[in-house]
Amino acid sequence: VTGRVYLVGAGPGDPDLLTVRALRLLERAEVVAYDELVPMEIVALAAPGAERLPVGRRRGRGAVPYRVHPAVIERARAGKMVVRLKTGDPFVFGRGGEELEELAEEGIPAEVVPGISAALGAAAATGIPLTHRGVAAAVTLATGHDGARLATPGTLVLYMAAHNLERCMRELALAGRPEATPAAYVEAATTPRQRVVIGTIATLAASIGDPGDAPGLVIVGDVVGVAAAIASCTAPPALRVRKVGS
Ligand SMILES: C[S@@+](CC[C@H](N)C(=O)[O-])C[C@H]1O[C@@H](n2cnc3c(N)ncnc32)[C@H](O)[C@@H]1O
């Protein structure tokens, strides 16, 4: 009998932001496959007897020759119930679609469990609403690779932008966004290592320093200014916004 692979959104980092379904599946899983962005506190929620399988592909380490890790396919073929933890949501820049294509080709049953994507976690943890009446009527989720060339209205959230932030901000300005538009860099959102830097399209890149390996995203738009106005009731997270807001 073939097993089943669950592509499970692990949320942005804080284990409390897992869904109930994700937790239930973790507790039942025979195999838990995860990459380096998924915190070990979340992997630790799996049953003690579950096999833990690191299947990471680190930034800049070159293309890997597979979509689903071969060990995941092998375990599922052996009849195991496999939980493949994906950071955030599997279908938001998580390659969930590609992995399902391969699982379909292999004839392995699969299911997707949504998770809180980093944009939503970062918004809540900083008190920056992604839409706000009269300020932003739309939000675009994009990657730093090409999203900065989009001249979309409203809020723009750029994933994977930390390492080419300067170019992203330049392209945004070229795409027609005023250089004074507020912008926030949110690193390791919802975790104890969360760091927030507030600036504008013109200033943000110079203020973030070396992001290292920590995941970070950028929220661009006038909604960033709303965080300060509501900080008194969203503290303590929004306090972190003010602390670094120089
Ligand atoms: C490959 S994408 C995966 C996105 C994920 N599927 C999601 O829905 O959040 C990795 C990028 O997500 C963002 N990211 C993930 N976790 C984050 C966090 N806790 N804080 C800030 N950004 C995060 C960063 O931009 C990082 O470069």
Side-chain angles (χ1 to χ4, degrees):
V1 206
T2 310
R4 180 179 278 266
V5 175
Y6 294 84
L7 291 187
V8 176
D14 180 351
D16 278 5
L17 295 177
L18 282 171
T19 62
V20 174
R21 178 147 182 80
L23 182 60
R24 286 189 178 140
L25 288 170
L26 265 178
E27 288 168 349
R28 272 177 43 212
E30 297 174 276
V31 180
V32 178
Y34 59 94
D35 51 69
E36 61 278 340
L37 269 183
V38 175
M40 288 314 288
E41 301 96 287
I42 290 179
V43 179
L45 295 170
E51 180 189 8
R52 275 122 168 109
L53 209 56
V55 294
R57 43 185 152 200
R58 272 250 173 230
R59 178 176 57 86
R61 303 271 163 88
V64 287
Y66 51 79
R67 290 167 288 178
V68 181
H69 195 284
V72 167
I73 295 190
E74 194 261 318
R75 302 302 191 276
R77 281 208 188 296
K80 303 275 192 202
M81 177 204 167
V82 184
V83 165
R84 168 64 166 104
L85 286 172
K86 311 284 290 183
T87 169
D89 181 272
F91 278 171
V92 180
F93 307 123
R95 300 180 194 241
E98 289 165 55
E99 297 200 16
L100 288 183
E101 281 170 358
E102 177 161 359
L103 292 169
E105 285 162 21
E106 298 284 340
I108 296 171
E111 184 182 316
V112 178
V113 178
I116 295 180
S117 192
L120 308 182
T126 54
I128 300 173
L130 295 180
T131 65
H132 194 74
R133 197 139 58 105
V135 178
V139 55
T140 303
L141 306 184
T143 70
H145 310 308
D146 42 27
R149 290 191 287 273
L150 298 172
T152 51
T155 307
L156 178 62
V157 183
L158 293 175
Y159 289 66
M160 294 171 271
H163 289 274
N164 50 8
L165 194 59
E166 198 180 331
R167 182 175 59 75
C168 285
M169 294 299 107
R170 211 172 37 238
E171 287 181 352
L172 267 181
L174 286 173
R177 291 263 181 161
E179 290 213 327
T181 307
Y185 170 71
V186 189
E187 186 175 276
T190 79
T191 76
R193 295 170 306 286
Q194 174 168 303
R195 182 168 80 98
V196 184
V197 180
I198 304 285
T200 64
I201 285 181
T203 66
L204 191 66
S207 346
I208 71 163
D210 177 13
D213 271 340
L217 52 72
V218 181
I219 304 177
V220 179
D222 292 331
V223 287
V224 172
V226 175
I230 60 180
S232 61
C233 73
T234 55
L239 277 179
R240 294 180 209 141
V241 174
R242 277 190 292 182
K243 200 170 64 197
V244 295
S246 54

